[in-house]
Amino acid sequence: MEWSAFDASPPTAGPSSYGSGFASIGESEQAVNDDVTPAASPDPESPTPIEQIPARQRTASNASVRSTRSLSALSSRVKGKLAAGTKTSGNIARRLRFRRGDLSPYTGDAGVAASRRNTIVDTDWPGSAQIGRGSCFLPWARDLKSRTIPPQGTLVDIDVGLSSPVSPISPIYRIGPPSETAILRSKGRSYSSPFPLASASSPLDIVSATPADILEPLRSVEVRNYFDECLPRELRLKVLGSLVELYEQEHLRLVASPRWTARKAGRHRWVGAEKGVLELLKLSRVSKAWQSLVYDGQLWATLPKLPPAVLARLSKGAGGFVKQLQMGGMAPLSAGQLTDVTEGLCVEVAPPGILPHTRVTTIDLQGCTSLSSRSLHHLLIRSPELETLSVRGLSAVTNTTCTILSTYCPKLVTLDMSRCHNVDGDGIRSLASSTLLRGEVLHLKVLRLGGLKRVTDEMMQRLGKAAPDLEVLDLSYARHLHNSAIDAFVSLTEGEAKEVESVQLTAREAGRDPTDPAKYWKRVTRLRHLALSSCIMLTDHACTHLAFAVPKLEFLELSGIGADIRDAGLVHLLDTTPYIRRLDLGDASEITDAVLAALTPQETLPPPPSPSRALPLPPPQTGHALEQLVISYAGNVTNEALLQLIRRCPRLRVLEADNTRMNSLVVREFVQLARQRQHADPALCAIDCRAVGEHAVRDVVPHTRPRLGWRGWEARRLAFLDARDGEALGGAGQDQDECDPRRVVLKTFYSWQTVDAVRAAREKRRRAGRRSDNGSASSGGGAADGDGAGYAHVGRTRWWSPSGRRSGAGSPLLLEGTGEGRDGCTIM
């Protein structure tokens, strides 16, 4: 059956109960016969009688408005009380009739006629029911109208069970406000109204007035996902990729701002690009669609240090997009996991007859001590595009690794195999020999072989021929390296000199017997950095062999050799290296002022301007680019030579002269010139210089600092004094900001006393904080001052401790924050 759309429901609900001190439905037949009669009209124009509407299913919205007692039960047992406190047979209905002048008793048709004169009739609706004043429904009388349209509200089925011939009463609905004449006050028990309640003034307005079905669920508002639905995949990847760039740029801006302090830097371990990578991985938890975006290879050109499981998953998804493997320091990385990463990085489609290979150009495995030779070789064989390899200190590297590199990695440019105790000179010789046998040369520019054993003349000769483009060579701590090996590295025959860039020298220039008329040829190398520190078998003759062969040399390290380094060879070499920038002569106790004179440029007047023609620029002098000089334990160097060097080398910013004759005048001159030249991080080391007194150190305190401090996570344990933190230390070292790059780092015996004073002041303040915490009743008190670097000491007595034992000063420090840098969400 379809219902019409007409709705006559009131907008609000009425009260839920009224007094029930009225006559019940089944009290007497006479009262009921005249009280309730159907409004049936024999007129053909009258509307058809209403049909019985099936009762609707009870729901949560109408459960509270139903009467708790059914009308059928009340019709047989409930007796109304007509008046409070009266026992007579009359009722309120009769008294009302008597007051209105109707004194006739209720009998027959006259009673019916009287009842009809006093009924409440709503003639606006067809088939409306009439309720007499003596009816049991009188207390709840409304403008009651029956209809075939289901009104908004609760249906009430009335089964009176009358014995007199009365037409069935149609379902009665509450429509409109209650009639004023129907509300009667009396005493008695109160029951809930059987009608739906809708009174505009009732506080129990719980019946909804909406025309929609009460069982229909509410429609949810859907917000369109423009990121996933509208943007193409390339733009979405670009948005996610820019997240890492934004973190890096934000960190750079923060470091450049004055708000970046040592305390703040010590609180956050993951900053910049590393923080961006972590946040990018967290986005993979949003949905599967985002997970596929995060693990897309276009975002992972570089695989950073991540857990091995994440690396394996990224390698499978990234594939040929990965160019760099930055796994330095990942000791837990096992051989099997590295093999899985290699298989994931291999290009799926490979030409026939070619092994599956990766597109990796940079590999850093320094500190991955759990790897095996097989897993490492498996990766190298499948990396033909490899350009940079760092396997420093790995026992998995052997001489076979060198052969594999020469065969499968022809584009290798940078190789670091320092401290690999399973590699010796034979491996390097095979690396160079196999390349020369193929008629090729190595493209190596950086070769670091610190601690290499069994270095021979043959190895150095073949290395010099196979690597003509070498710019950085590190052979420090090579105990077997001899002067003859250095000579073999740069010497050429007359025939070989015609094929490569070379220089012809006389016997005197070559460092040999001046009476020898023979000619000597040397290879002109491209070396810029040569490290020969702690090669105990070398002497200054090695410097003589290098003369004229390294004209572009900038960094020369000869520390730890001792007294075998003398002036003759050094001066001969320095005269041919005008671009020298850093010279390390530590422990060279036999050098004199001649070496400093060779490093000191001569004062020359600028040439007068010539209007006719442009004169060629004079060749650069040795020392014009000198920035760092180490002459520790050079006891024969005088102060005059040091002053001339400091004044004539405009770029000199680091001078280490421990245990020398340096005096206070040199210290003051260096500090003054460094501030005038505005060098960044200038440093002067004068430890064990007895001529440097305490007064000289105090005179330059406003412009110096005891240590070279920096702001970062790695420096948190060093507890550098940063003026930006605003620590109140009571004047102890407060004037020496260790993180100020404009101050000169002055290392002397008296400078270290300042460091001790700052540490003592912090310890004193920490103890005062402990006493204040122990004296307070609250357990949550206490200042986490740390050591000025963003961490707090936890050694304090707690009031709930049974024994009250306090942890000592050697207790470990607890980093501020939870999870030691893991400030994001954690997957359990």
Side-chain angles (χ1 to χ4, degrees):
M1 177 184 296
E2 296 182 359
W3 306 99
S4 60
F6 184 82
D7 183 17
S9 302
T12 56
S16 60
S17 63
Y18 297 90
S20 60
F22 308 101
S24 63
I25 298 177
E27 184 178 357
S28 63
E29 281 184 23
Q30 291 137 8
V32 173
N33 287 340
D34 291 340
D35 285 344
V36 181
T37 57
S41 175
D43 192 356
E45 297 180 358
S46 62
T48 59
I50 61 178
E51 300 178 1
Q52 180 71 25
I53 302 174
R56 303 179 73 178
Q57 185 178 2
R58 175 176 292 187
T59 60
S61 62
N62 59 14
S64 61
V65 299
R66 289 268 186 173
S67 175
T68 57
R69 303 180 65 180
S70 64
L71 294 176
S72 60
L74 291 175
S75 63
S76 60
R77 291 188 294 177
V78 177
K79 297 182 179 181
K81 298 181 181 180
L82 300 181
T86 59
K87 303 286 186 176
T88 60
S89 59
N91 54 29
I92 295 178
R94 290 194 183 95
R95 292 184 181 183
L96 292 175
R97 293 192 188 101
F98 293 158
R99 292 178 183 178
R100 294 188 179 186
D102 188 5
L103 302 177
S104 59
Y106 173 73
T107 54
D109 296 337
V112 174
S115 175
R116 291 192 178 188
R117 288 195 302 268
N118 297 318
T119 56
I120 302 171
V121 181
D122 192 343
T123 58
D124 296 338
W125 297 91
S128 59
Q130 298 179 0
I131 301 178
R133 291 178 178 169
S135 172
C136 64
F137 294 102
L138 185 59
W140 300 285
R142 308 283 196 277
D143 295 336
L144 302 176
K145 305 161 188 179
S146 61
R147 57 181 182 178
T148 59
I149 303 173
Q152 183 68 25
T154 307
L155 178 64
V156 180
D157 296 335
I158 303 177
D159 185 10
V160 182
L162 302 177
S163 59
S164 60
V166 181
S167 300
I169 300 176
S170 300
I172 298 176
Y173 297 90
R174 176 241 346 126
I175 298 178
S179 176
E180 295 180 359
T181 60
I183 300 177
L184 303 178
R185 299 179 180 178
S186 62
K187 294 182 180 181
R189 189 174 180 179
S190 175
Y191 297 101
S192 299
S193 171
F195 302 110
L197 308 177
S199 175
S201 61
S202 174
L204 303 176
D205 298 337
I206 58 176
V207 180
S208 176
T210 58
D213 191 355
I214 58 176
L215 297 178
E216 182 180 355
L218 296 176
R219 296 181 180 179
S220 59
V221 180
E222 296 182 0
V223 180
R224 189 174 182 182
N225 190 349
Y226 293 97
F227 181 80
D228 292 332
E229 298 177 3
C230 299
L231 292 181
R233 185 177 181 86
E234 289 77 9
L235 290 182
R236 284 180 285 170
L237 291 174
K238 183 64 177 178
V239 171
L240 294 180
S242 62
L243 179 66
V244 181
E245 299 177 1
L246 289 176
Y247 271 98
E248 186 173 4
Q249 295 175 3
E250 181 182 2
H251 177 63
L252 293 178
R253 287 195 301 268
L254 184 60
V255 171
S257 66
R259 298 179 300 171
W260 184 251
T261 64
R263 184 185 297 272
K264 291 182 179 180
R267 291 175 181 174
H268 305 285
R269 180 177 184 180
W270 309 113
V271 293
E274 296 179 349
K275 179 66 174 179
V277 169
L278 294 181
E279 296 298 329
L280 182 61
L281 290 175
K282 291 179 183 179
L283 294 180
S284 63
R285 309 171 187 171
V286 175
S287 61
K288 290 186 177 180
W290 283 38
Q291 189 179 59
S292 64
L293 291 174
V294 170
Y295 286 96
D296 193 286
Q298 301 181 45
L299 298 178
W300 300 101
T302 301
L303 283 184
K305 292 189 294 184
L306 295 172
V310 180
L311 284 177
R313 185 171 183 179
L314 281 176
S315 62
K316 293 180 181 179
F321 292 98
V322 177
K323 299 294 184 180
Q324 299 181 7
L325 289 179
Q326 300 292 343
M327 301 182 183
M330 294 183 60
L333 184 65
S334 62
Q337 292 171 345
L338 181 61
T339 303
D340 295 340
V341 171
T342 304
E343 294 295 335
L345 295 178
C346 290
V347 180
E348 297 180 358
V349 180
I354 299 178
L355 290 174
H357 61 278
T358 67
R359 296 180 180 176
V360 177
T361 60
T362 302
I363 298 177
D364 183 8
L365 299 176
Q366 179 180 349
C368 301
T369 56
S370 301
L371 300 182
S372 62
S373 300
R374 182 176 181 179
S375 61
L376 177 61
H377 296 166
H378 181 74
L379 175 61
L380 297 178
I381 291 173
R382 286 163 176 78
S383 302
E385 304 293 331
L386 186 61
E387 298 178 359
T388 302
L389 176 63
S390 177
V391 288
R392 186 185 185 94
L394 296 186
S395 59
V397 181
T398 60
N399 292 336
T400 307
T401 307
C402 300
T403 305
I404 292 175
L405 288 176
S406 64
T407 306
Y408 295 96
C409 303
K411 300 181 180 180
L412 194 62
V413 176
T414 302
L415 177 61
D416 188 358
M417 302 178 67
S418 300
R419 301 297 178 180
C420 296
H421 58 271
N422 290 330
V423 177
D424 53 20
D426 296 337
I428 304 301
R429 181 177 55 82
S430 64
L431 172 65
S433 299
S434 58
T435 304
L436 293 175
L437 289 176
R438 294 194 303 266
E440 301 175 355
V441 295
L442 294 173
H443 298 283
L444 282 174
K445 292 185 178 181
V446 179
L447 180 60
R448 301 185 183 276
L449 301 172
L452 186 65
K453 298 177 293 184
R454 299 178 183 177
V455 180
T456 61
D457 298 352
E458 182 184 3
M459 185 212 81
M460 293 296 294
Q461 181 183 10
R462 295 189 180 183
L463 179 62
K465 295 180 180 180
D469 299 331
L470 201 61
E471 296 181 1
V472 178
L473 178 61
D474 184 4
L475 292 173
S476 56
Y477 293 92
R479 303 292 182 178
H480 300 145
L481 182 63
H482 197 266
N483 296 332
S484 60
I486 300 295
D487 187 20
F489 179 73
V490 296
S491 296
L492 293 174
T493 62
E494 185 176 359
E496 295 174 344
K498 298 178 181 180
E499 299 177 358
V500 297
E501 184 179 1
S502 60
V503 59
Q504 182 180 355
L505 304 177
T506 62
R508 183 185 294 274
E509 292 174 341
R512 302 181 185 272
D513 187 6
T515 61
D516 187 1
K519 301 295 182 180
Y520 297 90
W521 287 267
K522 289 187 178 180
R523 178 186 296 106
V524 178
T525 65
R526 300 181 182 180
L527 285 176
R528 297 185 299 104
H529 185 181
L530 180 60
L532 300 175
S533 298
S534 300
C535 296
I536 56 178
M537 298 187 69
L538 293 181
T539 64
D540 62 304
H541 291 287
C543 299
T544 304
H545 296 321
L546 291 174
F548 299 98
V550 286
K552 299 181 180 180
L553 188 64
E554 298 179 7
F555 299 160
L556 178 60
E557 300 179 13
L558 295 173
S559 64
I561 297 178
D564 293 331
I565 297 295
R566 301 180 182 273
D567 295 345
L570 280 175
V571 172
H572 192 52
L573 174 62
L574 292 176
D575 289 340
T576 61
T577 56
Y579 300 99
I580 192 72
R581 294 170 52 194
R582 185 173 67 187
L583 179 60
D584 189 357
L585 299 176
D587 298 334
S589 58
E590 296 298 326
I591 62 174
T592 62
D593 293 345
V595 176
L596 298 186
L599 289 171
T600 304
Q602 301 296 326
E603 291 184 347
T604 57
L605 296 176
S610 176
S612 59
R613 58 179 181 178
L615 296 177
L617 295 176
Q621 299 184 16
T622 302
H624 79 282
L626 186 63
E627 298 179 0
Q628 182 175 351
L629 177 62
V630 180
I631 53 172
S632 301
Y633 291 90
N636 299 325
V637 175
T638 63
N639 291 310
E640 290 75 12
L642 287 174
L643 286 174
Q644 291 294 330
L645 178 72
I646 294 172
R647 292 168 182 171
R648 295 186 181 182
C649 294
R651 299 184 181 180
L652 183 64
R653 62 179 184 86
V654 177
L655 177 60
E656 297 185 14
D658 303 334
N659 201 1
T660 61
R661 298 180 182 181
M662 180 188 298
N663 57 16
S664 302
L665 181 60
V666 177
V667 173
R668 293 190 182 96
E669 186 72 14
F670 183 87
V671 173
Q672 180 182 359
L673 292 178
R675 289 184 55 83
Q676 291 179 0
R677 296 166 181 171
Q678 297 182 357
H679 292 315
D681 296 329
L684 176 62
C685 189
I687 301 175
D688 294 336
C689 293
R690 300 181 180 181
V692 178
E694 183 178 0
H695 296 285
V697 176
R698 291 182 179 180
D699 292 342
V700 295
V701 161
H703 311 297
T704 60
R705 49 179 171 162
R707 294 184 296 175
L708 179 62
W710 74 95
R711 303 176 182 95
W713 168 263
E714 297 80 5
R716 69 192 187 281
R717 297 298 185 188
L718 299 177
F720 291 120
L721 180 62
D722 191 359
R724 296 180 181 179
D725 289 328
E727 291 187 77
L729 300 177
Q734 198 170 7
D735 296 335
Q736 293 186 332
D737 184 5
E738 294 179 333
C739 297
D740 187 0
R742 298 171 299 179
R743 289 177 173 265
V744 180
V745 179
L746 180 58
K747 295 184 179 181
T748 62
F749 172 78
Y750 306 101
S751 301
W752 285 109
Q753 293 182 350
T754 304
V755 179
D756 297 337
V758 171
R759 182 177 181 181
R762 286 173 173 170
E763 185 67 22
K764 181 179 179 180
R765 186 182 60 180
R766 186 184 300 111
R767 291 178 180 177
R770 292 176 186 173
R771 289 194 296 267
S772 62
D773 292 343
N774 295 338
S776 62
S778 175
S779 62
D785 57 337
D787 277 341
Y791 50 89
H793 196 279
V794 296
R796 62 168 66 105
T797 303
R798 305 187 183 276
W799 64 271
W800 64 81
S801 178
S803 60
R805 187 179 64 178
R806 179 182 305 176
S807 58
S811 300
L813 302 178
L814 179 64
L815 297 180
E816 289 186 357
T818 57
E820 193 174 350
R822 300 180 61 184
D823 51 355
C825 53
T826 304
I827 299 178
M828 301 302 293

